[in-house]
Amino acid sequence: MGQEIQQYHFSSADFDSFRERVRNETLRLAEWFRDGAFSTRDRVIGLELEAWLIDREAQPAPINTEYLRTLNDPMAVPELARFNIELNVHPQPLTGTALSKLHADLRRTWEHCYHVAEDFDARLLMTGILPTLEDRHLVMANMSEMKRYRALNEQVLLQRQGRPLRLDIRGNETLRTEHRDVMLESASTSFQLHLKVNLDRAARYYNLAQMLSAPLVAVSANSPYLFGRDLWDETRIPVFEQSVEVGGHAAASHGPVHRVSFGTGYVHGSLFETFQENCDHFPVLLPIEYDVPPEQLAHLCLHNGTIWRWNRPLIGFDDDGTPHLRIEHRVIPAGPTLADGIANAAFFYGLIFELGERDEVLEWRLPFATARDNFYAAARHGLEAQVTWFDGKRVRMQALLVDKLLPLARRGLERLELDGDDIEHYTGIIRQRLRNGCNGAAWQRAWVARHGRDWQGLTEACLERQRTDTPVHEWDI
């Protein structure tokens, strides 16, 4: 989905040809899995941070075309809306000072982007949902000037046979609205983690990423408000799932599948199962034909990029052309600070490595349906969620994080032989956040409880504190 395309109107022949290419590339991928053709250079990490451009009144600033042209940085690219951008970092081997290197790399890019925004009389903000965002901002005039987004919008509406997209979110309050375009998707921004994995452990790590989605979304929640309504702790989750609501064909034993979802189950043998599911059950959205060798799997990867599982398997390529496997963990919101984001990353990488290197089959101790239920409970209630953990034990999420998961994450980072100061610093942020019960969602609600529903004031308060890169648990109200 990251590449620009040349057209956004398609014929039935375009769809037929694309489906055939996806089928052929899926067969080729099956051979790679059977032959073990993937890179063994694993434990490489990366991330993507989506951000908001806002004006001096803290309103969305739809200027990303001219802004990115001036910025001229390959690590910054447009998002769906003209008031959003995405920042990237150079991948790092998960060893030594990888965490602080990622932090420094992202901070350099962030500061450069922020200063260029000031040249446009704008600011840059990282938050899951912008408090000042209003329904009126989510219009086609504010869609980024890229054909791929126009094509996505047209095809989603065609597959919905013109039916509008509806939000119906019931949290502390209720929000119902509808749109005749996909711009609702741009209401939420995320902090996405990448982990390159070895073929032998890829299925286990993918399943673990699903199990760990509930604790990660609870510890990182930063999106309690949308259009002035107090909804879920991480309202991004229902927003994204409902804003590109296009079903797939019924999957055996799972019922209809959806393009944005927690997925249909754990994988059993290999990650290939997800790509086969893509081919069998998801209608093509963007039938773009690439004039490239079939071993680049360009059509398979584009198709995969239009299916937004909260944990998404990816096919990539090393510098020498060897294919590799990655897991993209998509549940974490942007913000409140870069330091908070890297701490969330440390927590995820430590946990998944510590649990992933065990010999026991954890899928037996936490069924997929339970992991899925945990995820939505945590997205709705955050640290206060009641979840079912291993062996059917019911527990409050905050207690699970403090007593079980944070010590496991620290042990995993130590096994990876990461720098001791980095481990102490970033796990310390999580420890204090849990001790204070103060993730981004809790801080925003506390600010509103004291100051009222002043959305500009809340946005400015977040921006002011964010500029210091001081973790959210230390923010004053």
Side-chain angles (χ1 to χ4, degrees), residues 214-289:
L216 261 295
V217 81
V219 80
S220 65
N222 190 37
S223 313
Y225 300 110
L226 175 62
F227 303 157
R229 307 290 177 83
D230 184 345
L231 300 168
W232 292 18
D233 275 35
E234 193 44 49
T235 305
R236 282 175 48 257
I237 303 304
V239 168
F240 195 22
E241 290 195 350
Q242 296 178 31
S243 64
V244 195
E245 178 56 50
V246 183
H249 306 305
S253 78
H254 296 302
V257 292
H258 301 280
R259 297 197 92 95
V260 185
S261 76
F262 193 69
T264 57
Y266 293 139
V267 298
H268 302 289
S270 77
L271 287 186
F272 177 71
E273 296 161 28
T274 61
F275 294 97
Q276 187 68 63
E277 183 178 79
N278 291 355
C279 184
D280 293 344
H281 299 297
F282 287 95
V284 171
L285 269 186
L286 297 179
I288 308 299
E289 291 206 18

Side-chain angles (χ1 to χ4, degrees), residues 133-148:
L133 185 70
E134 298 178 23
D135 213 340
R136 65 183 177 85
H137 296 127
L138 303 179
V139 294
M140 288 295 290
N142 283 335
M143 180 177 282
S144 288
E145 297 177 3
M146 299 190 73
K147 292 186 179 69
R148 74 171 188 261

Side-chain angles (χ1 to χ4, degrees), residues 68-130:
L68 289 169
R69 187 181 300 120
T70 300
L71 184 70
N72 192 28
D73 187 337
M75 306 308 285
V77 296
E79 275 290 321
L80 173 64
R82 295 184 66 223
F83 42 72
N84 295 139
I85 63 170
E86 176 188 290
L87 307 183
N88 296 273
V89 298
H90 298 285
Q92 293 282 345
L94 188 53
T95 186
T97 57
L99 296 172
S100 55
K101 285 180 179 176
L102 274 181
H103 194 170
D105 188 5
L106 187 57
R107 183 186 291 122
R108 280 191 297 272
T109 301
W110 181 266
E111 289 301 323
H112 176 51
C113 290
Y114 195 95
H115 292 314
V116 172
E118 290 180 319
D119 294 339
F120 288 84
D121 205 26
R123 284 88 57 80
L124 202 61
L125 178 73
M126 63 185 101
T127 189
I129 296 175
L130 181 67

